[in-house]
């Protein structure tokens, strides 16, 4: 795993278990500060107050979902690198996330393998879609393609 130096990351997810797992993963990647939020509204406030380098938002949160929170964060900080995590992917959700300004899209099951790569990508302006999420795009646009 590559080291991410001197990073402040905001993690917004309503599940304490998911927050703990991501926090542990990021500590292993030398992230200096993990700011935690339990819903979209809190994420928007903490993104403004905490000045994170990257924001990771769960799609399905109470009140304001991850897409809505991203739009609010982008309204204040247009260049803020954003990553969406979700339990399931669809072509529509991936397109909506990328249109809302997310540079990264990961299925929760791929977080352990791909989160550090996604953070590195979005910090430098690239786009990262985890392999599990990319499968939804292949199935939509290349239904006869056989994926390993």
């Amino acid at each position: 795993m590559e080291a991410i130096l001197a990073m402040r990351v905001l993690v917004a997810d309503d599940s304490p278990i998911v927050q703990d797992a991501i926090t542990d993963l990021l500590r292993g990647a030398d992230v200096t500060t993990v700011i935690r939020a339990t819903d979209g509204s809190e994420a928007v406030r903490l993104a403004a107050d905490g000045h994170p380098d990257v924001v990771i938002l769960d799609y399905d949160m109470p009140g304001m979902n991850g897409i809505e929170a991203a739009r609010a964060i982008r309204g204040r900080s247009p260049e803020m690198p954003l990553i969406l995590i979700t339990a399931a992917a669809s072509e529509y959700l991936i397109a909506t996330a990328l249109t809302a300004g997310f540079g990264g899209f990961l299925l929760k099951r791929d977080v352990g393998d791909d989160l550090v790569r996604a953070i590195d990508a979005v910090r430098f302006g690239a786009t990262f879609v985890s392999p599990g999420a990319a499968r939804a795009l292949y199935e939509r646009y290349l239904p006869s393609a056989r994926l390993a």
Side-chain angles (χ1 to χ4, degrees), residues 45 48 75 77 114 118:
R45 182 180 56 76
S77 303
D114 295 326

Side-chain angles (χ1 to χ4, degrees), residues 57-77:
L57 298 165
D58 180 25
Y59 171 69
D60 188 21
M61 292 185 287
M64 180 184 290
N65 71 32
I67 302 287
E68 295 162 338
R71 289 183 177 132
I73 291 168
R74 283 284 189 187
R76 293 181 178 181
S77 303

Side-chain angles (χ1 to χ4, degrees), residues 23-45:
T23 299
D24 289 345
L25 177 67
L26 294 178
R27 280 193 188 117
D30 296 329
V31 169
T32 57
T33 305
V34 177
I35 305 162
R36 294 166 60 137
T38 57
D39 62 44
S41 298
E42 185 180 21
V44 171
R45 182 180 56 76

Side-chain angles (χ1 to χ4, degrees), residues 92-112:
Y92 174 78
L93 182 56
I94 295 168
T96 301
L98 297 175
T99 302
F102 284 95
F105 188 101
L106 284 88
L107 292 177
K108 287 186 178 182
R109 69 174 187 242
D110 296 332
V111 165

